[in-house]
Amino acid sequence: EKAGELYGEIAFRNPLDYFANQSLRRFERLSARRRIEAASFYDYVGRVDRYLSARALKPARAELETLQKRATSSSRKRSLQERWAKLAYREDRLEDARALYHELADATSGARKTRYLQWVSRSLAAQKRFDEAVDIYQTLAARDAEGRGRELLFKAAWLAYNGGRYQRSLKLFRGLVENYGDDRNVDDSVWFIAWNAYRLGDHPTALQTLRTLRRDYPSSKLVQRTHYWEARILAAEGRAEEAARAYQKSIAHDPNDYYAVYAEQRLNELASQAQPNSPTPVAIADLTRHRVASLSDNRETDRINPASEREAPRAMLDRVVFEWTGKEGKRALRLMTLGFE
């Protein structure tokens, strides 16, 4: 029994382990001799889920094909169809995935139906069919206004933003603030109202919305970045003095924060533009305050495009990939080795 427990732990909980397949064979040999209880159908389905989560698509397909003959009830058939649909999505067979999830949604109701329709929307979004994807979330939000309505409406608005449907996204985010204004997390929606306005070239509305966010949600984690991006917009309009004050406010909010580092760099840029022949010195004291001077701003953030729905909303606007093996990465590592974190 103890051996079976250990073999099962490896085979079903860690199917990518080096000894997983050998453990499964030994487990099944013991169960065939009735020395231990046999694994259930859903134990094997769990192996499929772990393969899919790890993007191990070939073993996932092989496991599904093996399980197909054991799908003797409607619930088992539905369970396998859901995994076939997810496999199709992972393999970029998006139309197949959409059709399978639609079939599942049509045959179910309640929370399960909502989940399947969300996967239909994801499949459409991956095909760049954003309007159809947004329609699904918007419909789901209207059906469940008292339950998950806020979350579903946010996803509809975000998908519209990510698909470049800024007018529609702006309308949806504004509706979200109007309907769920008492929700403490609605500051995210105000933030995206500002970004939609910015994408539409409406800088006055973007600036005013950033200021509104600070006024109405003073404890929001977004406050520091509102100062930073207000400064960026002001600088782009040539209002250098106002931009410098906004950068200084971003630094003052939390000097060791991500945005403070960039704000200080931008301040230095403003100073060098005003005095092009005056280099900006970097003191060792700055480094001891956790300022890594060699970090460079990603200029593409002027036209930011969140990568996918899987990312958390608060992290999706300022993505910077840091290469530790590059020149700047090696410099940062040397500084850390010397204690200048």
Side-chain angles (χ1 to χ4, degrees):
E1 288 180 359
K2 187 62 177 177
E5 179 184 333
L6 294 171
Y7 285 141
E9 181 66 26
I10 298 170
F12 296 105
R13 302 290 177 265
N14 301 286
L16 292 173
D17 187 271
Y18 180 81
F19 290 105
N21 290 334
Q22 185 176 351
S23 295
L24 181 62
R25 288 193 295 271
R26 290 177 178 270
F27 179 94
E28 290 175 335
R29 193 180 306 157
L30 286 172
S31 64
R33 293 163 57 191
R34 300 181 183 277
R35 303 291 296 277
I36 61 172
E37 185 177 349
S40 73
F41 173 83
Y42 292 101
D43 286 327
Y44 288 92
V45 170
R47 276 171 59 90
V48 176
D49 288 338
R50 287 173 174 80
Y51 282 137
L52 289 172
S53 295
R55 307 300 197 272
L57 304 184
K58 286 185 178 179
R61 173 176 287 278
E63 196 81 38
L64 282 170
E65 289 170 349
T66 301
L67 283 173
Q68 201 69 45
K69 61 180 178 292
R70 294 181 59 184
T72 54
S73 67
S74 58
S75 61
R76 288 187 176 190
K77 288 176 182 176
R78 184 180 65 239
S79 182
L80 287 193
Q81 183 171 340
E82 185 174 347
R83 274 72 187 180
W84 280 116
K86 196 167 188 179
L87 177 64
Y89 181 86
R90 298 293 186 216
E91 291 178 337
D92 287 329
R93 293 185 291 108
L94 299 171
E95 192 56 30
D96 290 343
R98 186 197 64 78
L100 287 168
Y101 278 121
H102 232 312
E103 187 177 315
L104 285 163
D106 290 342
T108 54
S109 60
R112 185 176 283 134
K113 184 183 187 75
T114 297
R115 187 175 79 247
Y116 292 147
L117 286 173
Q118 285 182 270
W119 275 101
V120 172
S121 179
R122 291 181 68 176
S123 300
L124 289 167
Q127 293 176 284
K128 309 299 182 186
R129 295 162 64 179
F130 289 102
D131 288 321
E132 295 169 81
V134 172
D135 286 342
I136 290 174
Y137 269 113
Q138 203 169 348
T139 300
L140 290 172
R143 287 178 186 169
D144 194 17
E146 300 301 321
R148 296 178 58 204
R150 191 202 70 82
E151 173 197 346
L152 294 165
L153 186 57
F154 184 94
K155 289 184 176 181
W158 187 88
L159 270 176
Y161 174 84
N162 200 41
R165 277 62 170 175
Y166 303 124
Q167 288 285 7
R168 186 174 186 182
S169 178
L170 185 61
K171 183 178 180 180
L172 288 169
F173 275 120
R174 281 177 171 162
L176 200 154
V177 172
E178 290 171 6
N179 293 322
Y180 301 96
D182 295 333
D183 192 309
R184 62 186 177 85
N185 292 319
V186 84
D187 57 338
D188 276 342
S189 300
V190 180
W191 172 254
F192 276 106
I193 289 172
W195 270 96
N196 277 293
Y198 172 75
R199 288 302 190 97
L200 291 166
D202 185 356
H203 287 185
T205 297
L207 289 170
Q208 184 57 45
T209 306
L210 292 173
R211 292 161 186 162
T212 298
L213 193 157
R214 291 198 296 269
R215 183 196 68 205
D216 293 347
Y217 305 93
S219 60
S220 170
K221 293 180 180 180
L222 299 168
V223 166
Q224 184 169 31
R225 69 179 70 178
T226 65
H227 287 298
Y228 176 84
W229 283 104
E230 179 180 346
R232 289 285 297 272
I233 294 171
L234 290 168
E237 293 188 339
R239 298 157 67 178
E241 291 183 5
E242 295 173 80
R245 288 194 293 270
Y247 282 134
Q248 288 162 354
K249 288 177 182 177
S250 183
I251 295 168
H253 188 84
D254 183 356
N256 295 321
D257 187 79
Y258 174 90
Y259 281 93
V261 174
Y262 278 162
E264 186 164 357
Q265 287 183 315
R266 292 288 183 173
L267 268 176
N268 290 341
E269 287 180 14
L270 285 176
S272 65
Q273 289 166 9
Q275 298 176 332
N277 296 322
S278 302
T280 304
V282 179
I284 291 297
D286 287 337
L287 297 176
T288 63
R289 292 198 300 270
H290 306 277
R291 314 264 179 80
V292 181
S294 64
L295 288 174
S296 64
D297 196 351
N298 183 349
R299 301 313 174 99
E300 292 185 1
T301 54
D302 282 333
R303 282 297 184 194
I304 295 162
N305 189 23
S308 74
E309 189 181 355
R310 291 187 295 270
E311 297 174 306
R314 286 199 171 105
M316 56 179 66
L317 284 178
D318 246 326
R319 299 189 4 158
V320 176
V321 178
F322 194 80
E323 295 290 345
W324 292 103
T325 57
K327 179 180 178 182
E328 293 166 347
K330 290 178 180 178
R331 181 180 181 190
L333 289 170
R334 287 198 297 273
L335 288 166
M336 283 188 274
T337 303
L338 293 169
F340 299 125
E341 295 172 351

